[in-house]
Every structure is written in C-alpha cells, then in structure tokens.
Amino acid sequence: MSTARRPRSSRAQSRDYAERSRGLSFLRRYAFLASLETVARLRSGGTALFLFSVLAACHPDTAAREPKPSDFPAAHRPVASIVSPRWSDEPTRDKAGEATDVMNRAGVKRGMTVADIGAGEGYYTIRLATRIGKKGRVLAEDIVPQVRDALAERVTRERLDAVSVRLGEPDDPKLPEASFDRVFMVHMYHEIESPYAFLWNLRPSVKPGGRVIVVDADRPTNLHGTPPKLLECEFAAVGYRMVDMQTMPAAGGYLAAFVPAGARPEPKAIRACEVAE
C-alpha cells in the first residue's frame, strides 16, 4: 500500500493557519504581559536601569518596510527646544492640584496601564503610579539618556515596582501595540521635532477604548505651547479624532483627549497642517 500523503484540503490548510495565528497572538500578548510583570533591572555602579520590553518584531505594522522619518511631512511651525526636564517645581504643582485634576479629567483608574511620554523628572510618573495601584502599570519614556537614567534612579529609590522607564526616539516613543489605556503628553507636545511621524508610530500602542491625553498651553509653539486648532489638525492628519477639550488653568492651559479613528494613513499621504498661530 502506498505511504504517500494525500494533499491536504484547502479547508484543512486554512484551519492550520488560523490555529498558528491564534497561537502567535497568544504568545505576543503573553510576552508583553510578562515584560510588564517582570521588569528587568540592570545594575552598573549602583544605578538601576529599567528596561521595558518592546515587541517590535511581533508588531503587525513591521511586516512591511518600516517608514523612515523622511517619509513624513515636516511640521509647518516652529519646534520648541527642550530647555528643562521639569515644567515647574513639584510642590507648586501639587499646591495647584495639577496632577490630581488632570488624572481625574482623563479618567485614570486603578489597574490601568498608562504611558507618560516626555516624563522628565517624573512628576506625573510618580503620581500616576499611586493612582493606578499595584495591579496597574506605568511606562515612563524620555528621549534624553541622562534624564531617563535619573528617573530610573528615582523609581528604584522610591520602590515603584509598577513603573518601567525607557528611552524613546524623537520620532518614535517605541511603545508596544494595543497596550495602553491612557497615553499622556504633558507640557511637551510643542517639543516634538517630527509630530506626524511621532503620532503615526504612537497610534498602534493605544488599546481599543484608550485615549491620548495632551496637556499644553494655548500659545505659539516657539513660546512653549500649542494652539488647540493646530493640535487638533496635526492629530487629525494622522488619523485621530478629538473627543474632549477642556480649559485647565491649574495645568497652564488646556487638556485635550484623542482616540484613533479609521485607518492609519500611509506616511506619504499625510499633509502637513498650515494653521496660523
């Protein structure tokens, strides 16, 4: 009797493909959750550096060629320089109730996973960690290595086990996909050199139902603020919809909330905003 295998039916092949896809999806999620639960610590000279595991190889958008910064349009407005890792001193901000007010308005709850982009010295990172509790997670990101290292030391010193600290890039915060209930950008949006590339790379990290929260001053970008109409236009160009805009005197301006909406546009299809400041 012949031992040659009979060709498998297309239905059987489709079933196998679906099973492999489900298995890969499970592994991606498991690996990310494991990275949240077991934050790696590298110690060199007594300094703890927290590493946040980024599953870039598993990202669905990495199947095609990764876009380059040059694929995106340049911003048609000034970009403010990074002058300090702090916006104001922490006692003054706490006296004004800034962080509590922002977290309340943003709907931050216990158990959430949140990102603090441009975390600086960690004013929001520390307070977000208290708000989300032991079952929540905070990823603090900054693009300045020395600032990142100083914040990692503070996180270690204050024993904030729910917090991870990582180094991002000017055009990419390097966040894992479908992971965050809230992504905060507080008093830093006007410092982003390549806003369209940055927002494009950020978008996949937001969970279904998640939001990107921007707090900034209502003034020209070269004066360390972002006019709300310009902010809304730049987000819309990359496929976000603004769902909330509130004035916030305690935080020096306003709070805006955005959600991903529709398909993420191809980088070459994005058109830079020209909004008078």
Side-chain angles (χ1 to χ4, degrees):
M1 186 174 69
S2 173
T3 59
R5 293 185 179 180
R6 296 171 56 188
R8 305 198 68 193
S9 67
S10 59
R11 178 177 297 179
Q13 292 175 356
S14 297
R15 185 170 59 250
D16 287 350
Y17 177 79
E19 289 174 354
R20 287 196 301 270
S21 297
R22 283 195 296 271
L24 180 57
S25 177
F26 170 78
L27 288 173
R28 288 170 178 163
R29 176 56 53 188
Y30 179 83
F32 173 56
L33 291 176
S35 74
L36 288 174
E37 294 292 343
T38 58
V39 180
R41 293 176 173 87
L42 291 181
R43 295 187 177 274
S44 176
T47 299
L49 175 61
F50 289 75
L51 300 180
F52 197 92
S53 202
V54 180
L55 306 180
C58 297
H59 198 295
D61 293 323
T62 60
R65 180 187 69 83
E66 284 291 331
K68 300 176 294 185
S70 59
D71 292 334
F72 296 89
H76 287 184
R77 43 86 167 173
V79 176
S81 58
I82 301 175
V83 295
S84 173
R86 67 169 65 173
W87 179 69
S88 179
D89 65 273
E90 296 191 8
T92 299
R93 298 172 82 172
D94 280 343
K95 186 176 180 179
E98 178 190 334
T100 299
D101 196 10
V102 167
M103 291 188 293
N104 288 345
R105 296 190 190 210
V108 178
K109 300 176 182 178
R110 296 184 71 80
M112 279 187 167
T113 299
V114 301
D116 182 13
I117 306 300
E121 294 181 343
Y123 175 74
Y124 273 90
T125 298
I126 306 307
R127 287 150 184 82
L128 284 167
T130 300
R131 174 66 68 95
I132 53 91
K134 294 182 178 180
K135 293 185 177 181
R137 293 292 181 270
V138 179
L139 170 59
E141 181 264 12
D142 208 281
I143 65 170
V144 181
Q146 296 88 341
V147 173
R148 185 275 314 269
D149 293 346
L151 180 54
E153 291 180 7
R154 180 178 184 181
V155 167
T156 301
R157 185 171 61 251
E158 299 190 19
R159 300 181 180 276
L160 300 174
D161 295 333
V163 177
S164 304
V165 178
R166 69 157 294 106
L167 188 69
E169 296 179 358
D171 65 334
D172 187 352
K174 299 292 185 181
L175 304 182
E177 66 164 319
S179 300
F180 298 97
D181 300 291
R182 298 290 185 271
V183 177
F184 285 87
M185 293 190 283
V186 181
H187 299 302
M188 58 75 65
Y189 183 80
H190 50 268
E191 297 173 351
I192 298 175
E193 295 178 7
S194 304
Y196 302 106
F198 187 92
L199 294 175
W200 194 90
N201 287 313
L202 169 69
R203 215 183 97 143
S205 71
V206 183
K207 284 182 180 180
R211 294 186 171 193
V212 178
I213 306 296
V214 177
V215 176
D216 214 340
D218 183 0
R219 56 178 178 244
T221 53
N222 64 327
L223 298 178
H224 291 272
T226 309
K229 287 186 178 180
L230 175 62
L231 180 76
E232 183 177 9
C233 182
E234 291 187 345
F235 267 79
V238 191
Y240 295 82
R241 176 168 55 88
M242 188 170 72
V243 293
D244 194 14
M245 170 65 75
Q246 305 177 37
T247 58
M248 281 207 66
Y254 60 81
L255 178 149
F258 297 87
V259 297
R264 187 170 60 161
E266 290 296 321
K268 295 290 188 181
I270 297 171
R271 296 293 175 262
C273 297
E274 297 189 22
V275 177
E277 295 192 65

